[in-house]
Amino acid sequence: MTRASPYDRDKTLDAAMSLFWNKGYHATSLKDLEAALNMKPGSIYAAFKSKENLYLLALQAYFERSRQSFRDMLAQSSSPLRGLADHLRGFALLPEADATRQACMLTKTIVDTKSTDPLIAERSREYLEGIRLEIAAGFEAAKIAGELGPHADPSRLARRYQANVAALRLELHQGTNSADLHDLAEDMAGEVEALRV
C-alpha cells in the first residue's frame, strides 16, 4: 500500500474517532476498524502500529477539535460570560444527527479503560484537564472584562461548568426529550449569567 497523504490520514483518523467514540475502545474490533477505515489489518498496523496507538491518536484529534471549537465559540461571542452561557444553551439545539449528542469521548474513555488500560485512561484525564483549563481561561477573561467580581475563582467555576457540560451530554446520550433538555440547559446558562456583577 502506498503511503497515505496527510489528507487521507486525517480522514482515516476522523473515521477511527467516530467509530471509537460510538463503540468504545474495547468493543471496537479489528473487523470494525477494517470496515470503517477501508484498510486491511496489515495496512492499519503499518500506518498506526497498534489499536492502542490508533485510539490515542483519535483521542488527541477529538481533544484538539473540541478545544478549538470552544475557543472559536468564545472568540465570536459578544462577551466571555455570554459565550460560556450560550455554549450550554447550544447543547439543546444540536440536530438529531450531530455526533456530539452522545456522551463526551473523553468521559466515555475513562469509564471504559480506567481499570484495564491505564495509559489511555490517563491521557483522557489529561485532555479533560486541558478542556477545563480552556473553560477557566474563559472565566478569567470574564473577570478581566469586569463581568465577574474580584474574588471569583475561575478554576472553581470551570470545574462546576465542566460538570454541567458532562451532565448535559449524558442527557443527550440518554435521549432526553428536547423540552426538558432545553429547560436544563437554560437553567445552567442562567446560573452562569447570574455571576455577572
Side-chain angles (χ1 to χ4, degrees), residues 19-96:
L19 177 64
F20 282 132
W21 189 4
N22 184 51
K23 295 197 70 171
Y25 178 67
H26 292 295
T28 300
S29 68
L30 185 56
K31 288 289 186 187
D32 293 329
L33 288 168
E34 286 181 60
L37 308 185
N38 195 25
M39 295 172 73
K40 297 294 185 185
S43 298
I44 294 173
Y45 285 108
F48 300 105
K49 299 180 182 175
S50 67
K51 175 184 169 183
E52 179 187 63
N53 190 58
L54 176 56
Y55 193 90
L56 289 170
L57 290 169
L59 204 63
Q60 180 181 13
Y62 175 88
F63 163 68
E64 290 174 352
R65 183 175 301 173
S66 299
R67 179 177 60 182
Q68 191 59 52
S69 176
F70 184 77
R71 287 176 175 175
D72 292 345
M73 177 275 307
L74 279 186
Q76 294 165 10
S77 182
S78 58
S79 80
L81 209 60
R82 178 64 185 267
L84 287 161
D86 284 348
H87 181 63
L88 294 170
R89 291 186 176 102
F91 287 103
L93 304 176
L94 290 171
E96 287 292 330

